[in-house]
Structures are given as structure tokens and as C-alpha cells.
Amino acid sequence: MLNYKNLADQDEEVMVAIKREMTRQTEEMEMIASENYVSKAVLEAMGTVLTNKYSEGYPGHRYYGGNTCIDEVENIAIERAKKLFSADHVNVQPLSGSPANAAVYFAFLKPGDKVLGLKLDHGGHLSHGHPVNFSGILYNFVQYEVDETTGKIDMKKVREVALREKPKMIVAGYSAYSREIEWMKFKEIADEVGAYTFADIAHTAGLIAAGEMDNPVPIFDVVSTTTHKTLRGPRGAMIMCKEQYAKLIDKAVFPGMQGGPHDHINAAKAVAFGEALQPEFKEYIKQVKKNAATLSDEMVKMGYRVISGGTDNHLIVVDMTSKGLSGKEAEAVLDRVGISVSRSTVPNDPNPPLNPSGVRFGTPAITTRGMKEDEIKKIATWINSAIDHREEIELLEKIKEDVKLMCLAFPIPSI
Ligand SMILES: *Cc1c(COP(=O)(O)O)cnc(C)c1O
């Protein structure tokens, strides 16, 4: 028997958990740099009957019937993404960032091939060669670093390591790096050693789409990104590449890595790309950057060591040992006052990855709520008081209340 009840009437157990998460998101401050709040329209597109469809293949070339409407949706997503990033070719089917990267490696490399990536405790991602990840297991990653004193990528060292190691691919684009990336220099080095260039802009895609950071898409061979971080779309990813690699990438995604695409998510990607093409999105991203810069200035003033001394994007990495606690401890203290952050390694971290020295703060989510410099300054003082007085339960309770009041004054868009 078909049952057409709504979720709330049909399954209280799941609905209660979802409602509690809605309350948490409403009342707490989201400063995890990889998170954001999607619009109502994006959320709506995800909850449509497009989830019912199988559409293995690509627009006009499907392995199932009934895909006329799905083709339209996927083509809209592709055209909008091309416009946003000035891309020759776009594949919007990757299910998430890591699978997208798997497809990129699968397209260009053989198991055992050498890849040059950023040292992981310097800001790289699991899928850039971590030994527990498929990337580190299947491919031979060698590493470049950030400069010890400036905290920025040392391009001289990149060239040195590239000339010595002769990698088949060079990866740039990171998870915990707050500075502009010299795409052109990476390309020159790659050309010198005959390596493919791969940019992973999972974190900064929104800033690049808005023209607020340099765009690697016209320069690099292939670029992957998630769609759910600064791009403010549904959880998912896409790959962009030069026309000459279009077939290689499409084959690597399907049938190489994946079966059927998630068409409801691709519809939501199209909606999010449509939003990112609007002038309001540029204003949003400009504010994201201003908020991150303000947070960085405030933290520096209060005596924290901000890695690289500042930020060009939406995030900062702060060494908490400058205040006598680890990143994990700081994460726990801030959790108690309703501020979510993620622990992070700092370059050449003396502490182990599970209990690293740093915390990563990001401004994309709170900027979506409409918070600006004045709110950031208040938040910075709350963070500092919570850290300084982490044993004082009553004070922590008071800060939690202040955090909640501010959050309630800046509702999230989709609730
Ligand atoms: C977040 C991120 C990814 C992976 O994204 P998932 O969707 O979580 O798999 C890949 N690369 C970088 C640099 C990231 O920051």
C-alpha cells in the first residue's frame, strides 16, 4: 500500500532528530570553515522526485529511457558552471569532493604514479595523499611545504621538489590554507617537469566564482570542487577541465567511478550556480572575506598566533598553544558556548593529528546569516573569554546565552 503521509506524521523518530538539528543550527554559531547554509530554493530542489530517476550516462546519451527532463536540468547546471568559472568542460555528476578527486586521479594516473601535493599538516586534504586514504594507498605522493616563517607556500621549494621528483601530476588547493595561490607559477613549474596540473578548489570555489580570488580554471588542466562549501549549494562536487580532457574526465566519473548521478542534487547544484551568478552573491563573498579579515585582526590583537599572520579568503588557522591549550581542547571549550569550530594541524605541528595545536575558523556560514564586522568583533571577544576562563562554568553559560541571542537575531535562510 502506498503511503502519502508527510515525514512528521509518518516517522516521528527521524523527525524528532531532524527537528533537534534544526534547533541546533538555529541557536548555535557555525564557524566550521567548510560549512554553510543553503537557500530555501536549493533545499527545495533537493527534496524533489528527481531522486526517483536513473540516468547513467550524460545528456543526450543515457543508458535509461525517460531522461528528457533530467537532461534539461543537467545541461542548465553545466552551462551555469561554465559561465561561473570560464570553464571549457564541466562534469557535474561527482557525488562529493573525495569521489571527484578519485575520478581525477583515475583519469590521469596509474596506480603507483608520483603526485606532488602539499604536506597534510600544512593544510592539505585527506584525498591529497593521506596514508589512510585511497589517494595515499594507490598513488605515490611526495610533498611540498609552507615556509616556516611566513606560513605561505614556498614556490621555490615547490620547484625544487618538482625538479627532483619529476611527478606526473601537481596538486594545489587546500583545506586549511588562508592565502592566495600562485596558480601561474604552479603551471610554469608543471610545464618544466611535464606534469599535469590539478587544482582542488573545494574550499574557495565561491570566492573564485565571485571573482574575489584568482581562478585556476583557465590555467590548470583539471579543477575539482565541492558545491557545498563557499559555493553554498547542495552536498556534492564537480570537475572542470580543458576541452582536450573532456572525454577522459567524463569516462573516469561514469562508468569509471560511479553509476547513476544524483539528479535531485544536480538540480540543486543548478539552482545554487544560478544564485552564484547574481550580483548579491558577489556582495556576500566580499563580506565573507571582510569578516574573516576582521576575525583575524581581532585574534592577533588578543595575542593569538594566526598562521601566516592573516587571510586572503574565508578562513583562518589559529595556533591555540599560544594560549596554553590544544586545538582539541579549544574545540571542546567553544562547543560548550555554542560555537562550532574544527581542530586543525598547524605547519610542522609538534602535536599528533588527533590532538593538533590549531583551530580553523571560517566565516561563510555566519555571513550567510547576515553577520558583519560588528558581530565578528563581539564573537571574537566571546571566543577569547571562553578560552581564557574555560574553567568558569557560569561564565561559559553566560557566553552561550549571548551566542544564542545573536544567532536568533540572524535567522538562517532555509528555516
Ligand atoms: C572538503 C574538501 C574535499 C572533500 O570533500 P568531501 O565532499 O567531504 O568528500 C576535497 N578537497 C578539499 C581541499 C577539501 O577541502
Side-chain angles (χ1 to χ4, degrees), residues 34 95-101 123-128 171-176 198 200-204 224-229 235-237 360:
S34 47
L95 305 178
S96 235
S98 295
N101 290 353
H125 186 259
L126 270 178
S127 62
H128 299 179
V171 186
Y174 320 103
S175 298
F198 169 31
D200 177 351
I201 57 170
H203 257 270
T204 50
S224 74
T225 181
T226 60
T227 47
H228 50 273
K229 297 180 183 177
R235 193 156 293 280
R360 194 184 61 169

Side-chain angles (χ1 to χ4, degrees), residues 234-353:
R235 193 156 293 280
M238 68 173 158
I239 300 172
M240 299 169 271
C241 66
K242 298 258 175 272
E243 196 56 50
Q244 70 198 99
Y245 302 121
K247 281 223 171 74
L248 205 59
I249 285 296
D250 285 351
K251 271 173 64 186
V253 173
F254 171 84
M257 295 291 309
Q258 298 180 180
H262 293 185
D263 296 311
H264 58 309
I265 298 297
N266 292 347
K269 286 175 192 172
V271 174
F273 300 160
E275 291 174 3
L277 284 165
Q278 304 306 312
E280 292 81 9
F281 188 76
K282 195 176 172 67
E283 292 314 307
Y284 160 67
I285 291 293
K286 279 188 173 166
Q287 191 63 50
V288 165
K289 280 175 75 178
K290 279 190 218 163
N291 286 352
T294 304
L295 181 66
S296 175
D297 290 347
E298 296 298 306
M299 299 298 281
V300 168
K301 268 191 242 163
M302 292 185 296
Y304 291 82
R305 185 170 85 91
V306 174
I307 304 306
S308 86
T311 177
D312 300 326
N313 59 24
H314 62 296
L315 67 83
I316 59 173
V317 178
V318 181
D319 183 354
M320 285 293 162
T321 61
S322 55
K323 286 279 178 170
L325 72 174
S326 74
K328 189 179 169 187
E329 286 165 328
E331 182 189 293
V333 172
L334 294 176
D335 228 10
R336 297 195 58 167
V337 299
I339 298 177
S340 297
V341 297
S342 41
R343 76 191 78 155
S344 171
T345 52
V346 300
N348 305 318
D349 205 323
N351 291 313

Side-chain angles (χ1 to χ4, degrees), residues 199-224:
D200 177 351
I201 57 170
H203 257 270
T204 50
L207 291 91
I208 292 167
E212 290 294 313
M213 280 190 101
D214 295 341
N215 183 7
V217 176
I219 303 170
F220 271 42
D221 294 318
V222 58
V223 177
S224 74

Side-chain angles (χ1 to χ4, degrees), residues 17-48:
I18 292 175
K19 280 251 164 79
R20 284 180 50 219
E21 173 62 10
M22 282 164 80
T23 305
R24 191 194 70 78
Q25 291 193 13
T26 305
E27 296 181 354
E28 295 187 5
M29 191 80 70
E30 191 51 71
M31 297 190 80
I32 293 175
S34 47
E35 294 190 14
N36 213 330
Y37 306 110
V38 298
S39 69
K40 265 201 161 96
V42 167
L43 202 59
E44 223 178 301
M46 279 189 268
T48 60

